[in-house]
Amino acid sequence: SRETLLKNCLDGLFKQMPHYADSTEVIVVDNNCTDDTALMLRKYCESYPWLKYVLERKQGLSNARNCGAQIAQGTYLCYLDDDGKPSEKYLSWVHHVLNEYKPDIAGGPIYPYYTTPKPGWFRDEFEIRKFSSTSGFKEKGKIKGGNFIIRAALLSELGMFSPKLGMIGNKTRLGEEAAIMFNYRATRPIESQRVYYSQEA
């Protein structure tokens, strides 16, 4: 269930949060879940003061992402999908990248993990999403939405995520973060672009 996947994601973050609770908030946007997600999150909020739960009634991934951006307090917005599971040092590397390199946009690779036995014919490479084998500033390439970091002010300047793009209910639609990347690349001289790709994040 989505609730179980989200719990995996949050538990992975919660283990790391004691070191970053004074500088990081976790926001979960409920986009009309029909399982017990809301109940689980309300219980979590009682234990974790840095966790915020918000309901966004307007259906669609872009609406949910924009909702989270509007209530976030930080300089940077760091997007993870509910079925993502952060690596054990994810927050450590994110903080390192943001403090050391001060990018406009950042992100890292996405690798598959399995909750059931993997079919013999399936290879991890089918779902690995990365565009570079090295870390550093990149003049080309796209940061994927499941591991996407952007300055909050920049997202606002670029017009936020388009509700015409991205998943909506059971409809598979893509391209919301690609549109942000395209607008960024198209409106800034290449020498001033600051897109950082981190293998470790």
Side-chain angles (χ1 to χ4, degrees), residues 1-200:
S1 71
R2 303 307 296 192
E3 176 192 355
T4 301
L5 292 170
L6 175 60
K7 187 176 187 305
N8 287 338
C9 179
L10 292 177
D11 287 348
L13 284 175
F14 291 172
K15 291 173 187 173
Q16 302 172 47
M17 278 299 290
H19 303 289
Y20 303 101
D22 60 340
S23 60
T24 304
E25 62 182 343
V26 177
I27 299 170
V28 179
V29 180
D30 178 347
N31 201 203
N32 302 307
C33 292
T34 57
D35 57 12
D36 290 328
T37 294
L39 180 61
M40 177 188 77
L41 289 170
R42 288 192 180 101
K43 287 180 180 176
Y44 271 149
C45 285
E46 292 173 6
S47 302
Y48 304 111
W50 33 258
L51 175 64
K52 292 180 182 175
Y53 164 67
V54 61
L55 176 63
E56 173 53 75
R57 292 284 187 194
K58 287 183 286 187
Q59 194 68 42
L61 179 58
S62 289
N63 289 323
R65 286 182 170 168
N66 291 338
C67 173
Q70 288 161 359
I71 66 169
Q73 301 295 308
T75 302
Y76 283 96
L77 305 167
C78 179
Y79 289 97
L80 295 174
D81 288 343
D82 63 345
D83 59 355
K85 195 159 84 167
S87 59
E88 290 182 5
K89 295 187 177 179
Y90 178 76
L91 287 179
S92 173
W93 279 106
V94 166
H95 277 262
H96 170 73
V97 167
L98 300 185
N99 292 325
E100 182 74 16
Y101 302 109
K102 299 176 174 48
D104 288 334
I105 298 172
I110 301 172
Y111 298 101
Y113 76 95
Y114 305 93
T115 57
T116 58
K118 181 170 65 169
W121 57 266
F122 190 86
R123 298 201 308 266
D124 289 350
E125 297 83 52
F126 295 162
E127 280 298 318
I128 292 175
R129 298 173 194 172
K130 67 177 185 177
F131 75 82
S132 176
S133 58
T134 60
S135 297
F137 284 103
K138 306 295 179 182
E139 294 180 356
K140 295 180 180 178
K142 299 174 185 173
I143 305 292
K144 294 296 183 180
N147 188 0
F148 187 89
I149 303 165
I150 186 169
R151 286 184 184 276
L154 175 62
L155 180 62
S156 179
E157 183 184 330
L158 292 172
M160 308 298 282
F161 292 104
S162 171
K164 295 178 181 178
L165 301 170
M167 301 285 289
I168 183 165
N170 292 323
K171 280 187 192 172
T172 300
R173 300 188 317 180
L174 304 172
E176 72 287 351
E177 77 278 353
I180 291 292
M181 289 292 302
F182 177 83
N183 289 342
Y184 176 79
R185 297 283 198 196
T187 56
R188 281 156 180 76
I190 197 162
E191 63 272 13
S192 68
Q193 294 177 17
R194 298 182 62 79
V195 177
Y196 193 92
Y197 192 73
S198 171
Q199 287 295 322
E200 297 82 7

